[in-house]
Amino acid sequence: MNIAIIGSGYVGLVTGVCLAHIGHRVICVDNDPEKIKKLKKGIPTIYEPGLEALMHKCMKRRQLFFTGSIKEATKKATVIFIAVGTPSKKSGEADLTYVENVARAVAINMESYKLIVEKSTVPAATGKRIEHTVQLNLPKKYQGGKGRRLEFDVASNPEFLREGAAIEDFMHPDRIVIGVESKRAENILREIYKPLKTTMIVTNINSAELIKHASNSFLATKISFINSIAQICDRVGGDVLKVAEGMGYDKRIGRSFLNAGIGFGGSCFPKDVDAFIRLSEQSGYPFNLLKEVRNVNCEQREYFLKLIEDKLWIVKDKTIGVLGLSFKPNTDDMRNAPSVDIIKALQQEGAKIQAHDPQAMGQAKKIFSGVHFCQDAYGAAKGAHCLLILTEWDDFRHLKFTKIKQLMRQPLIFDGRNLYHDSHLEQYGFEYYGIGRIKV
Ligand code: UGA
């Protein structure tokens, strides 16, 4: 199948590389010439485990190409995936400017049947708007009336990839969702995903769009739910790890996404929760449950800061070591990372921050000023009055804690991700605070 992916950001690039890997001929498009220059040389513009090797393999087999031209991609491909950004407006609503621009650019350049597939996360009913935009912008000769009609279909195919595990998720998905309004579109999408043996959910476009927003919002709800339980644990003397374990054995609940901590971040959950709240409001239904999910998430960061202020006492002029900056492990992505709010708040109170992250320091340098970046965890611990764990990288699981303790000025650890067992660190003589694990 000849496929074009428009937008070579996180979703677009991973999808493009993986579709090429399962046997399609893929051309990835981006309007950033620098990005295309790098990609053409085989250099991925994001960090994702396994992506670079797969990209090289597909390029070598001549199944993966890059271009800056939507015209070229539209000409070469029958199936066009839209994978451009859908950032938040001030109101929280998804800004669909880029989606509209792409729909128009594709339409203008269409000369034969195309299946246009939404891959970006979009609010319900966006498919209808894409269809309308394409129809209005087709070359005049194809706009019906006396002219020839040019057939096209629009479909929705939301992605469920997690950063850091995206290739594994693509190759072994829990399900593939396609929203279609014609048999032709359904058959093409079935053909594309044939090599991946999994359940395929076929529905209309609006439902497919809703599945994506509902899934991310539900996962965010699980996180805020367990964070609320953690708050109660800290007040009555429970251990949220045990509570989550006990709940998780119930198959109807499941253990995943019940990790309490400093809350969810990233480029998806905060944005999608906002957009879903807006969409619901516009539809006439106030989704109050989801509003509370968002509130709980913000409060978790403040709660962590209060804990630090309470136990460290005076923050001003204290040296604070930070382990982990990215919004979650195995990525260099700093978008909406809880570390940003936490570090900036501590800096405002006069703390000196020294931080280490295995991958995200390059991105973090663009965000923070006055943070001293360290080569490793030991550098971040050196001379620190306390150590914060803000991302649960595997690298931090097995540190030499005797050495860390020697390096630190005070043996005080605040674990915003519940990476450690308190007894484990207490045996080295640390005072340890996790989330939802305070003994009353
Ligand atoms: C999320 C979804 O998991 C993907 O299915 C979806 O495709 C993607 O958004 C998207 O819409 O593009 P991602 O943002 O990569 O993926 O990261 P997650 O692993 O879902 O984590 C999101 C945030 O929740 C992170 O900040 C993580 O630290 C936090 N989290 C996750 C918790 O605080 N507790 C948990 O138990 C799980």
Side-chain angles (χ1 to χ4, degrees):
M1 200 71 79
N2 282 313
I3 297 173
I5 312 275
I6 306 190
S8 302
Y10 193 86
V11 172
L13 186 59
V14 172
T15 306
V17 171
C18 290
L19 284 173
H21 178 62
I22 60 170
H24 303 293
R25 203 176 162 85
V26 179
I27 182 160
C28 293
V29 187
D30 205 280
N31 61 2
D32 177 348
E34 281 307 307
K35 197 183 264 186
I36 291 296
K37 218 160 113 186
K38 269 187 158 177
L39 293 171
K40 276 184 171 170
K41 286 186 196 153
I43 307 168
T45 40
I46 50 160
Y47 169 75
E48 179 62 31
L51 185 66
E52 189 166 2
L54 214 54
M55 202 171 138
H56 289 172
K57 210 165 110 188
C58 297
M59 288 172 83
K60 214 168 145 194
R61 277 198 269 140
R62 301 199 52 75
Q63 283 188 286
L64 180 64
F65 303 87
F66 299 96
T67 178
S69 160
I70 292 189
K71 186 176 179 180
E72 182 192 346
T74 306
K75 206 169 144 204
K76 288 186 173 158
T78 309
V79 187
I80 298 166
F81 283 87
I82 303 180
V84 291
T86 53
S88 295
K89 291 185 192 173
K90 267 208 181 89
S91 60
E93 188 179 333
D95 181 350
L96 300 173
T97 310
Y98 302 130
V99 174
E100 199 227 25
N101 287 346
V102 169
R104 225 170 333 108
V106 168
I108 289 165
N109 290 297
M110 268 168 61
E111 287 292 336
S112 57
Y113 172 84
K114 305 289 166 195
L115 170 59
I116 300 163
V117 187
E118 309 164 342
K119 198 69 174 156
S120 313
T121 300
V122 290
T126 302
K128 292 273 172 256
R129 291 188 177 278
I130 294 177
E131 190 184 329
H132 187 222
T133 301
V134 172
Q135 188 60 53
L136 289 177
N137 288 279
L138 287 175
K140 295 265 179 307
K141 58 183 173 179
Y142 296 130
Q143 280 184 350
K146 282 194 183 130
R148 202 152 52 86
R149 277 204 87 83
L150 186 57
E151 285 188 28
F152 71 91
D153 279 304
V154 174
S156 163
N157 171 219
E159 61 85 26
F160 301 100
L161 311 176
R162 287 163 306 164
E163 287 190 23
I167 292 173
E168 172 67 20
D169 284 351
F170 186 96
M171 295 302 167
H172 304 102
D174 289 342
R175 79 301 205 187
I176 290 170
V177 173
I178 59 172
V180 285
E181 310 285 338
S182 83
K183 202 70 199 158
R184 187 175 188 178
E186 178 183 339
N187 290 342
I188 292 175
L189 283 163
R190 279 190 185 277
E191 188 62 28
I192 288 177
Y193 288 113
K194 212 171 174 184
L196 305 178
K197 310 239 167 318
T198 187
T199 308
M200 188 164 269
I201 312 287
V202 183
T203 178
N204 64 16
I205 296 179
N206 284 1
S207 306
E209 291 163 337
L210 281 170
I211 289 171
K212 171 67 189 194
H213 264 153
S215 301
N216 273 5
S217 299
F218 188 77
L219 292 170
T221 305
K222 269 188 109 174
I223 299 169
S224 281
F225 185 88
I226 201 67
N227 279 332
S228 299
I229 300 293
Q231 293 276 344
I232 300 169
C233 284
D234 274 344
R235 284 165 175 79
V236 303
D239 181 352
V240 75
L241 289 183
K242 281 289 164 201
V243 178
E245 187 187 344
M247 288 169 66
Y249 270 104
D250 186 327
K251 287 193 192 69
R252 295 168 302 174
I253 298 173
R255 174 63 183 81
S256 63
F257 280 72
L258 288 181
N259 296 322
I262 45 180
F264 57 79
S267 63
C268 305
F269 284 2
K271 174 172 77 74
D272 291 354
V273 164
D274 282 352
F276 208 28
I277 289 171
R278 274 300 284 166
L279 174 83
S280 316
E281 272 170 0
Q282 284 166 343
S283 78
Y285 177 74
F287 203 157
N288 293 330
L289 174 66
L290 209 51
K291 286 184 192 160
E292 205 42 44
V293 167
R294 182 170 60 186
N295 290 343
V296 169
N297 197 51
C298 294
E299 282 162 14
Q300 277 311 102
R301 296 174 197 191
E302 286 159 26
Y303 178 67
F304 189 62
L305 280 166
K306 280 208 189 87
L307 182 69
I308 297 167
E309 282 161 16
D310 182 32
K311 305 296 173 192
L312 188 63
W313 195 17
I314 308 296
V315 172
K316 192 167 184 289
D317 293 331
K318 290 273 162 62
T319 300
I320 298 185
V322 172
L323 300 188
L325 296 166
S326 54
F327 84 97
K328 67 171 197 175
N330 299 324
T331 175
D332 64 350
D333 199 336
M334 287 293 301
R335 286 175 289 177
N336 279 311
S339 68
V340 177
D341 288 344
I342 291 167
I343 289 176
K344 286 191 173 169
L346 291 169
Q347 279 182 319
Q348 231 165 23
E349 286 202 46
K352 293 179 208 133
I353 307 290
Q354 47 191 43
H356 171 72
D357 187 284
Q359 289 295 339
M361 290 199 291
Q363 296 297 330
K365 280 176 190 163
K366 298 179 197 160
I367 296 172
F368 297 113
S369 64
V371 169
H372 174 64
F373 292 97
C374 308
Q375 279 303 307
D376 57 21
Y378 303 101
K382 196 170 174 200
H385 292 92
C386 68
L387 200 57
L388 315 184
I389 315 297
L390 300 187
T391 317
E392 68 278 32
W393 283 92
D394 257 348
D395 305 36
F396 304 148
R397 277 181 210 278
H398 308 288
L399 296 171
K400 292 176 190 143
F401 287 105
T402 316
K403 184 172 169 188
I404 296 268
K405 184 157 174 266
Q406 271 167 5
L407 286 167
M408 288 178 70
R409 222 174 292 194
Q410 295 181 169
L412 189 53
I413 293 187
F414 297 97
D415 182 356
R417 299 294 191 171
N418 287 342
L419 184 63
Y420 306 117
H421 295 286
D422 42 7
S423 55
H424 169 65
L425 286 186
E426 278 165 5
Q427 82 192 11
Y428 289 95
F430 285 101
E431 201 174 301
Y432 170 87
Y433 297 97
I435 304 280
R437 300 164 68 200
I438 290 180
K439 294 173 214 85
V440 173

